[in-house]
């Protein structure tokens, strides 16, 4: 009864009001169709979102396939001619022989079917003023064709080489991050360690482990080169062909007589002008300045040091955020870099240097999987599988850019975010490592030096091999973390053991691939040491 009376007491207006409220609440509850579509889309995207490291790995594989498919034809050449100030081009393919005569000097040179690189290099060497006197006669079957007024001779690019700028853009984006990131994180790192003794201890420990891993790497390289003896497996014919093809390029790499002066090396760590060091990207000088600056900040009044530290912390955070943004295009950059490299790569040469490559690659695998696993497990108290998984992105970027410096921002991100190394440690250990620790490069230099000596018939005794260890450690410290410098430092090692430095011509053809691989080892080595040092300071 009570119920009924209550019910009847409600007016019509009340009913309408409560119905409105009900509809309103339904409206809030039920989403519009658009919202439904949006949330369904989010759901699908979340489920289907491929992790970045898988995207990068896919980009590597697809890029390699794309590059192999759109391979640069090794039997075609593009002759660019200058006729009455106008540019014309003639494509020549599948020649039986190609005779280049220099009418001014009355000399001629004959090239054959597989000599594409030799021809391109030959023309690169001719000064522009002499090109007028050059005439080429192409013989194909019973036909021949004469070509004059040549200005350049080049390979014919494909779709895969055309996308190279995307990769270059990616490398440039990462490279410009490196120096501000290193400066900012080192200053903040050094200032926050405060205790100068602790900083000294970390510095000494880091340096000692870096040197030890490098020495182990060269020893592995030397042992493999002596056991496998790749140089004794090269025929005279292959030797002459390689020397002919890369003679010019090797001369360009032998810039001057390089001598190692240890005193000079240490003196040069102190920059005369830190801004100049930053402009030139001299990492060792930058590291010195930033650490000194950071430590000194702790000596001045807090009132003055605090805003500076806060400023550099802001710079470092911004740089790290920039890495995140840049990494969004990593799959495209990696794809383009790998595609262009593979497309442009002369695969024929691989088979001639297969034993040499085998020794280097085996050494890099041993160093990376055994030495670093040991370091990470016993000194870093970290599971090696977790370590390698955490490093996937940095390794893929190192492989595709061949530059530890360009990879540095990504290495820092992996080590800090995935492994949990404190910023104080990684900010100090990793930039230093990118500069002075190049285990992969040192290992490769060990194999290469013995290989070249073997081909030339030099017998390297224990004294020479020890010289290789010493010079390669120093070369690894002095090698700039950018593509292809390892081979230039190799010249220094060859000179130290009195092997003709022109010998680098033998290995230039495969240097690009090995550079990619050794950079992966370089970067992984830096990270492994960071993990070990961090554990020691916990
Ligand atoms: N590309 C190597 C690096 O950046 C150096 C080298 O071996 O050439 O680590």
């Amino acid at each position: 009864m009570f119920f009924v009376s209550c019910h009847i007491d409600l007016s019509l207006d009340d009913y309408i009001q409560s119905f409105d409220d009900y509809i309103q609440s339904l409206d809030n509850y039920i989403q519009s169709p658009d919202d439904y579509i949006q949330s369904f889309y989010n759901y699908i995207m979340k489920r289907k979102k491929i992790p970045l490291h898988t995207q990068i790995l896919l980009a590597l594989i697809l890029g390699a396939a794309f590059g192999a498919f759109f391979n640069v034809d090794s039997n075609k050449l593009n002759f660019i001619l200058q006729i009455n100030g106008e540019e014309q081009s003639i494509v020549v393919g599948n020649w039986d022989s190609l005779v280049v005569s220099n009418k001014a000097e009355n000399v001629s040179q004959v090239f054959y079917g597989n000599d594409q690189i030799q021809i391109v290099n030959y023309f690169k060497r001719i000064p522009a003023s002499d090109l007028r006197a050059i005439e080429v006669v192409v013989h194909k079957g019973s036909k021949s064709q004469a070509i004059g007024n040549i200005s350049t001779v080049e390979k014919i690019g494909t779709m895969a080489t055309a996308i190279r700028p995307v990769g270059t853009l990616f490398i440039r984006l990462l490279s410009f991050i490196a120096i501000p990131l290193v400066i900012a994180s080192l200053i903040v790192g050094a200032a926050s360690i405060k205790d100068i003794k602790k900083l000294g201890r970390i510095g000494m420990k880091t340096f000692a482990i870096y040197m030890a891993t490098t020495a182990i790497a060269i020893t592995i390289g030397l042992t493999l080169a002596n056991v496998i003896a790749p140089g004794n497996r090269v025929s005279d014919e292959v030797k002459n062909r390689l020397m002919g093809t890369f003679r010019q390029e090797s001369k360009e790499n032998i810039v001057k007589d390089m001598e190692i002066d240890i005193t000079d090396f240490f003196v040069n760590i102190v920059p005369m002008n830190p801004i100049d060091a930053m402009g030139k990207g001299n990492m060792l000088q930058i590291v010195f300045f930033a650490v000194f600056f950071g430590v000194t900040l702790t000596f001045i009044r807090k009132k003055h040091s605090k805003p500076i530290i806060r400023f550099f912390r802001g710079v470092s955070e911004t740089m790290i955020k920039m890495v995140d943004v840049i990494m969004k295009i990593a799959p495209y950059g990696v794809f383009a870099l790998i595609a262009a490299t593979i497309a442009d790569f002369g695969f024929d040469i691989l088979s001639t240097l297969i034993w040499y490559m085998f020794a280097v690659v085996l050494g890099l695998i041993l160093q990376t999987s055994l030495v670093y696993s040991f370091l990470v497990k016993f000194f870093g108290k970290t599971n090696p599988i977790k370590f390698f998984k955490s490093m996937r992105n940095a390794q893929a970027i190192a492989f595709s850019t061949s530059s530890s410096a360009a990879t540095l921002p990504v290495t820092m991100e992996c080590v800090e975010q995935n492994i949990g190394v404190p910023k104080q440690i990684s900010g100090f250990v990793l930039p230093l490592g990118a500069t002075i620790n190049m285990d992969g490069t040192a290992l490769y230099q060990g194999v290469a030096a013995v290989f070249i000596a073997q081909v030339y018939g030099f017998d390297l005794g224990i004294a020479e091999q020890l010289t290789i260890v010493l010079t390669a450690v120093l070369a690894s410290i002095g090698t700039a973390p950018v593509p292809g410098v390892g081979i230039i430092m190799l010249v220094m090692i060859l000179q130290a053991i009195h092997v003709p430095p022109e010998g680098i011509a033998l290995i230039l053809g495969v240097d690009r691939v090995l550079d990619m691989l050794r950079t992966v080892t370089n970067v992984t080595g830096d990270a492994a040491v960071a993990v070990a040092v961090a554990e020691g300071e916990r």
Side-chain angles (χ1 to χ4, degrees):
M1 196 58 209
F2 174 76
F3 249 116
V4 172
S5 68
C6 250
H7 215 74
I8 294 169
D9 281 350
L10 284 174
S11 70
L12 189 62
D13 274 356
D14 287 340
Y15 267 118
I16 291 171
Q17 181 56 43
S18 59
F19 187 70
D20 264 1
D21 287 349
Y22 175 66
I23 294 293
Q24 183 65 40
S25 71
L26 270 187
D27 247 8
N28 288 343
Y29 185 70
I30 302 173
Q31 295 169 319
S32 71
D34 276 359
D35 290 339
Y36 266 119
I37 292 170
Q38 184 61 42
S39 50
F40 181 68
Y41 176 77
N42 288 345
Y43 174 74
I44 295 290
M45 285 315 281
K46 249 191 220 141
R47 277 188 64 112
K48 287 264 169 75
K49 189 128 180 63
I50 306 170
L52 185 64
H53 55 81
T54 316
Q55 287 182 31
I56 296 176
L57 187 70
L58 277 175
L60 267 177
I61 298 166
L62 294 177
F66 189 81
F69 189 74
F70 293 103
N71 203 4
V72 170
D73 193 332
S74 60
N75 293 312
K76 267 195 187 147
L77 278 172
N78 194 8
F79 285 83
I80 317 264
L81 320 178
Q82 277 289 345
I83 300 175
N84 299 331
E86 269 188 37
E87 213 167 73
Q88 287 181 20
S89 84
I90 296 183
V91 175
V92 172
N94 299 318
W95 56 90
D96 294 327
S97 67
L98 202 144
V99 185
V100 185
S101 351
N102 187 333
K103 286 182 278 177
E105 289 173 18
N106 231 346
V107 286
S108 62
Q109 167 114 20
V110 186
F111 295 98
Y112 298 97
N114 290 326
D115 294 345
Q116 189 200 44
I117 309 175
Q118 284 96 316
I119 299 170
V120 172
N121 286 345
Y122 181 86
F123 273 91
K124 266 193 207 152
R125 241 177 307 160
I126 302 177
S129 52
D130 292 4
L131 277 169
R132 297 224 122 260
I134 299 285
E135 192 188 69
V136 170
V137 181
V138 184
H139 299 280
K140 203 155 79 176
S142 55
K143 289 188 202 143
S144 48
Q145 177 188 11
I147 308 172
N149 299 314
I150 300 165
S151 68
T152 20
V153 179
E154 53 189 30
K155 297 187 209 170
I156 299 174
T158 66
M159 241 154 98
T161 50
I163 57 172
R164 195 193 303 267
V166 178
T168 314
L169 193 82
F170 177 60
I171 298 192
R172 294 180 75 110
L173 282 169
L174 283 176
S175 305
F176 80 57
I177 298 281
I179 289 176
L181 177 62
V182 166
I183 295 172
S185 53
L186 269 181
I187 291 178
V188 176
S192 58
I193 289 181
K194 285 189 188 98
D195 179 357
I196 185 97
K197 270 200 206 125
K198 185 175 173 192
L199 190 66
R201 189 180 61 230
I202 296 177
M204 291 307 289
K205 207 193 290 180
T206 307
F207 190 75
I209 308 181
Y210 275 152
M211 292 305 102
T213 53
T214 308
I216 295 173
I218 311 165
T219 313
I220 294 178
L222 288 178
T223 312
L224 289 176
N226 282 301
V227 173
I228 299 172
N232 299 343
R233 299 170 192 261
V234 173
S235 66
D236 276 353
E237 186 255 316
V238 167
K239 177 187 165 184
N240 292 338
R241 193 148 64 85
L242 291 172
M243 290 302 289
T245 309
F246 296 102
R247 180 165 288 128
Q248 181 57 24
E249 228 179 296
S250 76
K251 275 194 197 135
E252 280 158 21
N253 281 306
I254 307 169
V255 195
K256 55 180 172 6
D257 267 4
M258 283 189 272
E259 295 223 331
I260 317 156
D261 187 329
I262 302 183
T263 326
D264 260 9
F265 174 80
F266 283 107
V267 169
N268 282 336
I269 294 178
V270 182
M272 293 248 271
N273 171 355
I275 308 293
D276 185 48
M278 290 170 206
K280 295 205 173 107
N282 186 327
M283 280 287 189
L284 222 47
Q285 295 188 344
I286 293 172
V287 169
F288 178 83
F289 172 75
V291 172
F292 198 178
F293 187 90
V295 171
T296 316
L297 272 177
T298 61
F299 300 158
I300 65 171
R301 274 193 286 162
K302 270 221 171 77
K303 187 170 93 184
H304 299 308
S305 63
K306 243 191 174 161
I308 300 182
I309 298 176
R310 199 175 291 152
F311 167 78
F312 281 110
R313 181 157 288 144
V315 173
S316 144
E317 302 260 309
T318 314
M319 286 303 169
I320 291 168
K321 199 82 216 146
M322 280 167 97
V323 179
D324 278 346
V325 178
I326 294 166
M327 285 303 280
K328 295 222 166 15
I329 67 154
Y332 305 100
V334 167
F335 179 91
L337 285 170
I338 296 296
T341 309
I342 297 281
D344 213 8
F345 192 75
F347 281 96
D348 316 346
I349 200 168
L350 287 186
S351 56
T352 55
L353 288 170
I354 200 79
W355 285 106
Y356 160 69
M357 291 188 65
F358 173 68
V360 176
V361 174
L362 181 64
L364 293 177
I365 293 174
L366 292 178
Q367 173 79 11
T368 311
S369 60
L370 299 184
V371 180
Y372 299 150
S373 291
F374 179 83
L375 192 64
V376 161
K377 186 159 173 51
F378 294 102
F379 289 84
K381 307 266 181 292
T382 303
N383 181 345
I385 310 263
K386 178 185 171 211
F387 170 75
F388 286 112
K389 269 194 178 162
S390 308
M391 287 301 295
R392 282 181 293 200
N393 278 356
Q395 288 174 328
I397 303 296
F399 182 74
S400 41
T401 60
S402 290
S403 165
S404 310
T407 314
L408 181 61
V410 188
T411 318
M412 289 175 90
E413 200 182 46
C414 289
V415 167
E416 286 162 14
Q417 289 175 12
N418 303 349
I419 310 176
V421 169
K423 277 198 172 72
Q424 282 178 355
I425 304 284
S426 65
F428 174 67
V429 176
L430 291 176
L432 194 70
T435 318
I436 66 164
N437 183 50
M438 301 214 178
D439 300 345
T441 303
L443 187 146
Y444 135 89
Q445 285 167 336
V447 177
V450 175
F451 170 75
I452 295 170
Q454 284 167 349
V455 176
Y456 276 94
F458 283 78
D459 215 1
L460 296 182
I462 212 71
E464 278 97 355
Q465 309 238 6
L466 281 176
T467 312
I468 297 180
V469 176
L470 191 72
T471 39
V473 172
L474 288 176
S476 143
I477 300 176
T479 303
V482 288
V485 281
I487 197 148
I488 301 177
M489 298 313 258
L490 180 62
V491 171
M492 188 173 93
I493 297 172
L494 293 177
Q495 280 168 347
I497 53 168
H498 308 294
V499 169
E502 298 77 59
I504 59 167
L506 294 165
I507 54 168
L508 266 170
V510 291
D511 202 59
R512 184 74 180 89
V513 201
L514 294 182
D515 194 3
M516 294 158 92
L517 293 165
R518 65 189 189 239
T519 309
V520 174
T521 304
N522 290 346
V523 164
T524 313
D526 299 342
V529 175
V531 172
V533 172
E535 179 58 35
E537 290 302 319
R538 230 180 267 278

